[in-house]
Structure formats: structure tokens, C-alpha cells
Amino acid sequence: MMKKTVLLLLLMMPLLVSAQQKREFRGAWIQCVNGQFQGMGTQKMQQTLAYQLDELQKDGVNAIIFQVRPECDALYESSIEPWSRFLTGQQGKAPSPYWDPLQWMIDQCHARGMELHAWINPYRAKTKTTNLLATTHVAVRHPEWCFDYDGLKILNPGIPENRDYICQVARDIVTRYDIDGIHMDDYFYPYPAAGQQIPDDAQYRQYSNGIKDRGDWRRYNVNLFIKQFYETVHQAKPWVKVGISPFGIYRNKKSAAIGSNTNGLQNYDDLYADVLLWVNNGWLDYCVPQIYWEIGNRAADYDTLIRWWSQHAAGRPLFIGEDIERTVKFGQQAQKRTLSQQMPGVQGTVLWYAKAAVDNTGNYGTVLRQNYWRHPALQPQMTFIDKKAPKAPRKVKPVWTSDGYILFWTAPKGKSWDDVATRYVVYRFEKGEKVNTDDPGKIVAVTPNTYYKLPYANGQQKYTYVVTALDRLQNESKPAKKTVKL
């Protein structure tokens, strides 16, 4: 009997691992700072990005985090900051033939039912490999706002004008572009470099506000910025999600009782980023700690860290940043997926980085599309922003067209951003099957369109199709049903 039970559990293991959530953030970072698009040209870059998006869509990805501001520059049309050299090869030079990568990516992602989150680096004004800045660059116009550190230029977080400046840039992006989120990575104060000191004595004397400890003062500066940034974005557009992707360790236990049983660089102590304060104060809408290590890493064990973040940072939606190449190297995709599903505070994953999934490194992408992310998923709810669902779609009707058998519907009526439908979920149920929209396996599409092409066969089999409406924060309406013969 015992042998049969063990055998049954082994046979069920893939099914247990691949159990899907109906709501899950499935993100992928597309970075430009590695130079993958530099000098590629408009047509080739569009072809490359379109191919990446097609493959990521097949993998089940439902959100793209696209880097648009790596060093106080722009991969979008801006009157504030110069065009990025990571786009054209020369800072300040517009792309030719002309295009706006951010707007193009928004259109492409939305057409595929994906969200687009614009990824900015807040303080970094120059990377180590940039040698020439445009005359319109903030570090040229305001050198007094920056300091040099380990080959970088950094907007000094201790200067109030820099908070205002970064928020001005964010407001410009949010106001002019139909993005779903705005995203910051893990660079606040610079990563420590041996033998180098942050040159902020003058600012500390001027703006210390009576704070005796330099570390506390630096954290205070970043906290002020994060709060101002969050308020700036939501004042402009309440539905745009503010996301932050901190380094994977908050604090080590040897530094503080609340810390994790790890031994590595710390957000709080080394980058002056008090991530838990931001989560607990509601100054961000989602958090993506970069837990890039493997399970069993001696200094920073993935298992230890995912449990720590799930326990301490679930006051806002928590997604895990996962390194594809390291996961594949140690053969841990299944183990990490199981851990993620077991953690009550974890609601999604963001893949570092998109191209590794597209290239199917170690068969990672194939496993996603055939198993873990086989069916589409909706975004996690953010009821602290909006919990009101839109009305149901109207006039659901199948129609024969020159393009085939199409299921059409009409958008529900809505007056404001929180009740207007922006996407639709299409479910399919077989004859006699109970309609259950909680079953993610029945989702066949998440689409911005008010139609869906039916897979017509011979007209002998009855199916019930259900369509629901989603608003900007993917609150879901009641279902509208239609039975068709395929």
C-alpha cells in the first residue's frame, strides 16, 4: 500500500507543481543598458522587440517592464532629458527613421493583452561606459546637483531639487503616455565601492534636520523621495502602478533581529533603502525583490529569502525577481516554482531577463508555456487603489465574416477610469460543463478587442463562451454568456 501511495504522489507531482493561479503577475524585464539595442536602427529594433514580445506572450508573460531612462536620458520623446545613447549610440541624437520606443512598446504590449511598465533609474546620471553627455543633460546643466562615485555620476539624494526633478520627469512620462505602471530598480545611493566615500558632507551640514546619524539621514532623503514620487504619480493618474525592485536582501540577521539569515549587501545599511517602511506606509503598489541566487546559496539562499519577503513584505503585492540563467544552471525551475506557489504573500514573478526567456535558455521558456504559464492570467487585484468592477459586456453574439466565425460583443457603459472596460477575458466551457470563471484553465484570451475569433471545426460540438470586462486595475465584471456550435 505504501509503495502505491508513493508511486501515485510521484505521478501527481507535475500536476501539483503546475497548478495555476487565476491572478498572477508574470513580468519580464527588457533592459537597454546592456547595449543590446544600441545602434541597431529603427527597423531592426522594432523587429527584435516584436519577436521578443511574441515569444514572451507564448510563454504566458502578461507584463513587460521596459527600461526607458537608464542615465537621466530617454528612450522616448522628452523635452526634459536627451535621447539615450543606448538607443542611437550618441546621447542627444534622435533615432532615424524617427520613432518613439516607449509609445511603440505601449501599443505593442496592449495589442497582446500585456501591461507596459516604464522602468526608470531615479538617481543615476551617468553609467561607467558613457564618455560624452549631451549639452541638455542634467549633469551638464546642473553639475552641482551631482557627485562622482566609482566612475558614475549620481544625482545627490541629499539635495531637495533632485527629488523635484525626478518627480518632474515621472509626471511627464505618466501624463503623456498610457503606461500601466512606472518602475524603479535597485539603485538608490550607489552600491559601495572599496575605498570610496560618498561626498555629501556639505549637504549633510545644510540639510541634516538634526538627524545625528549619517546613515539615518541618507535613508530619510530616500524616504522623502519615494513618498513624493508615489504621490506625484497617483495625483497624475491614480491607476498607474508604482513598482520598486530592490536588492534581494533587506538586512542580515547579524545587523538586526528582523533580518534574514543571510550574509550579503543590505538595502537598509548599504543602499540606504528602507524598503519595509515603503511597503508598510503604502508608498508603492508592488515590490519585486531581486532574489537572483540559487536555492542553497551559502550567503543568500533563495529558499530563505523568498520565505523572509513573504513573511515581512506582503503588505503590498509581492512579486519575486528571478534570474533565469542561474535558475537553469542549478536545475531549480521546478523547485522555485513550487516555493513561489507555497508562499502566501507571493503573487507573481518577474524574469531577469526577457531575452533569456526568449532564447529559451535551458528550456526555461518551453516549460513556462507548456506547464506553469500555459493558460493566461489576470493581474493581481489592488483593491487599495480601486475595487469597483466594471459592468458586464453587452450583446455577445457570434457572426460569420470573411475572416471566419467571430464572437463579437459591445463594451459596457462607463464614465470614469475606475469603471471603463479596457480589456476582456474570454472563457470556454464544453457542453454540460459548469460555468466556473474561477478556473484559469478555461481562459482562452485576455484581449483589448471586443471580438474573438472562434476555432470553428464542423459545427457539431456545443460550447459555452463567457466574456467578462476588466477595468484598468483588472477588476472583473459579471459574466456574459453565449452558446455556440463549433
Side-chain angles (χ1 to χ4, degrees), residues 224-271:
L224 285 177
F225 163 65
I226 296 295
K227 182 176 187 290
Q228 183 178 342
F229 185 92
Y230 186 81
E231 292 171 350
T232 297
V233 171
H234 281 282
Q235 284 166 4
K237 288 181 180 173
W239 62 87
V240 173
K241 304 168 186 178
V242 175
I244 296 179
S245 179
F247 183 73
I249 298 172
Y250 174 66
R251 301 191 83 180
N252 299 311
K253 192 175 283 292
K254 66 181 181 182
S255 299
I258 197 176
S260 52
N261 189 20
T262 49
N263 184 25
L265 185 92
Q266 305 166 97
N267 276 292
Y268 184 94
D269 303 81
D270 301 313
L271 303 178

Side-chain angles (χ1 to χ4, degrees), residues 28 50 63 68 74 157 159 163 203 286 294 398 431 477:
V68 300
I159 296 177
R163 295 195 289 273
Q203 289 74 36
Y286 68 87
E294 72 275 10
K431 182 182 178 181
S477 76

Side-chain angles (χ1 to χ4, degrees), residues 190-204:
Y191 275 61
Q196 299 202 34
Q197 300 294 321
I198 295 172
D200 59 1
D201 288 350
Q203 289 74 36
Y204 182 54

Side-chain angles (χ1 to χ4, degrees), residues 78-238:
S78 173
S79 60
I80 303 172
E81 297 188 313
W83 284 102
S84 175
R85 80 170 179 89
F86 294 108
L87 177 64
T88 64
Q90 179 185 332
Q91 192 176 93
K93 181 182 178 182
S96 180
Y98 185 85
W99 70 307
D100 184 324
L102 176 55
Q103 184 59 56
W104 189 89
M105 283 291 286
I106 291 167
D107 295 340
Q108 293 288 318
C109 288
H110 287 177
R112 291 169 174 81
M114 297 173 168
E115 290 192 343
L116 188 285
H117 295 226
W119 163 17
I120 70 169
N121 184 290
Y123 294 113
R124 186 173 60 202
K126 185 190 84 67
T127 60
K128 292 182 181 182
T129 56
T130 297
N131 298 316
L132 183 65
L133 297 176
T135 55
T136 55
H137 192 273
V138 64
V140 176
R141 292 186 292 113
H142 291 285
E144 73 281 6
W145 286 2
C146 306
F147 62 76
D148 293 312
Y149 186 91
D150 193 33
L152 305 168
K153 277 192 183 296
I154 306 291
L155 289 177
N156 192 331
I159 296 177
E161 286 85 353
N162 283 333
R163 295 195 289 273
D164 296 336
Y165 175 74
I166 300 165
C167 288
Q168 178 193 4
V169 171
R171 185 185 298 107
D172 177 59
I173 295 171
V174 171
T175 303
R176 293 192 297 116
Y177 292 92
D178 188 21
I179 56 175
D180 301 286
I182 190 160
H183 181 93
M184 278 187 271
D185 52 21
D186 54 329
Y187 296 100
F188 296 100
Y189 275 88
Y191 275 61
Q196 299 202 34
Q197 300 294 321
I198 295 172
D200 59 1
D201 288 350
Q203 289 74 36
Y204 182 54
R205 285 193 298 270
Q206 186 175 359
Y207 300 114
S208 66
N209 292 318
I211 299 172
K212 301 299 183 186
D213 180 82
R214 184 77 63 102
D216 287 341
W217 175 72
R218 289 173 180 166
R219 280 183 287 275
Y220 170 75
N221 294 330
V222 180
N223 293 340
L224 285 177
F225 163 65
I226 296 295
K227 182 176 187 290
Q228 183 178 342
F229 185 92
Y230 186 81
E231 292 171 350
T232 297
V233 171
H234 281 282
Q235 284 166 4
K237 288 181 180 173

